[in-house]
Amino acid sequence: KAGVTQTPRYLIKTRGQQVTLSCSPISGHRSVSWYQQTPGQGLQFLFEYFSETQRNKGNFPGRFSGRQFSNSRSEMNVSTLELGDSALYLCASSLDAREGYNEQFFGPGTRLTVL
Amino acid sequence: GQNIDQPTEMTATEGAIVQINCTYQTSGFNGLFWYQQHAGEAPTFLSYNVLDGLEEKGRFSSFLSRSKGYSYLLLKELQMKDSASYLCAVRDRWEGGSYIPTFGRGTSLIVHP
């Protein structure tokens, strides 16, 4: 079974631009979560999608948004990029995050650098 | 709110045993995870504890005390490939009904010969 895939793996943007990152979950997984990882803050939860609906959102500004498609693939978008948005963006999938024991599988991440 | 503390860095010798501690103060609790993350790679699942006690899985063991808000990851017979960051994550149930983990900042373990 193929793992979680994320594209692109590396991205360089300049301040003010916007970016879209993509995540394809493991086949059969319907829950997709996004995280931002930086050296200073560690891994921080952005949002979680299930059946094309955002179920939970972390403490990030509205410049961070996402969506999920009917095939469970998900995208996240960051508008008006700031230098502080430079980070590793990780996607994780699971069968259903509402289930009691529910292991998340992480993708390799997208390394975003904002210049 | 959630507050998860773990040491920033630890060093150990190949073949030795190392214990990585994690303390947490959270508004709710529905399990604790440990992940391993090698530089430039995705976190990979190591262990899950929801009840007090020790869970053993090969060279890795994880302990949980819910009353003390404390967990540790024990790595035995250390190998060079164990050099990585170890993330402690406490899971809680959010408003949308999903279980969302909150991660500590990770402990960077350096294993030397």
Side-chain angles (χ1 to χ4, degrees):
Chain A
K1 193 183 260 192
V4 179
T5 58
Q6 291 186 245
T7 56
R9 292 293 311 278
Y10 301 92
L11 206 50
I12 299 175
K13 292 285 187 179
T14 56
R15 278 180 298 175
Q17 287 186 309
Q18 74 162 20
V19 66
T20 299
L21 312 180
S22 181
C23 170
S24 292
I26 291 172
S27 178
H29 285 192
R30 297 171 64 190
S31 176
V32 174
S33 297
W34 288 89
Y35 296 86
Q36 180 195 65
Q37 187 173 34
T38 58
Q41 297 298 319
L43 249 168
Q44 293 188 290
F45 172 73
L46 279 158
F47 26 65
E48 183 236 347
Y49 285 88
F50 182 86
S51 291
E52 302 177 65
T53 301
Q54 185 182 90
R55 283 203 301 210
N56 290 285
K57 190 177 192 304
N59 189 27
F60 278 82
R63 300 186 297 108
F64 292 82
S65 63
R67 59 178 175 168
Q68 186 180 36
F69 302 95
S70 58
N71 61 358
S72 294
R73 190 177 71 85
S74 177
E75 289 181 347
M76 67 163 281
N77 183 277
V78 188
S79 62
T80 320
L81 284 167
E82 301 177 359
L83 295 178
D85 297 333
S86 294
L88 180 67
Y89 289 88
L90 290 161
C91 164
S93 79
S94 60
L95 287 169
D96 183 349
R98 291 174 303 180
E99 294 299 313
Y101 173 66
N102 187 52
E103 183 179 341
Q104 283 189 325
F105 296 85
F106 284 86
T110 295
R111 173 74 62 187
L112 171 65
T113 302
V114 182
L115 302 176
Chain B
Q2 315 274 44
N3 187 36
I4 300 169
D5 288 315
Q6 49 182 134
T8 303
E9 188 175 292
M10 298 182 71
T11 59
T13 306
E14 194 175 15
I17 299 173
V18 71
Q19 178 174 311
I20 302 174
N21 296 323
C22 172
T23 57
Y24 62 89
Q25 293 172 312
T26 58
S27 53
F29 180 87
N30 279 283
L32 186 144
F33 291 86
W34 283 95
Y35 285 85
Q36 180 191 60
Q37 186 177 25
H38 285 100
E41 298 182 10
T44 55
F45 169 82
L46 287 177
S47 68
Y48 171 70
N49 295 70
V50 65
L51 299 175
D52 291 351
L54 188 69
E55 294 281 342
E56 297 186 79
K57 191 187 284 188
R59 295 190 298 115
F60 293 67
S61 302
S62 57
F63 172 83
L64 174 67
S65 169
R66 289 172 294 170
S67 62
K68 296 181 180 177
Y70 168 70
S71 172
Y72 68 72
L73 180 69
L74 193 71
L75 292 78
K76 303 175 188 175
E77 301 168 15
L78 280 173
Q79 302 174 9
M80 298 297 288
K81 68 178 182 179
D82 296 330
S83 292
S85 182
Y86 291 85
L87 308 174
C88 171
V90 174
R91 196 178 68 164
D92 193 11
R93 194 164 194 172
W94 284 42
E95 283 183 16
S98 300
Y99 292 92
I100 305 294
T102 298
F103 287 81
R105 295 187 181 183
T107 298
S108 178
L109 174 65
I110 301 167
V111 180
H112 55 82

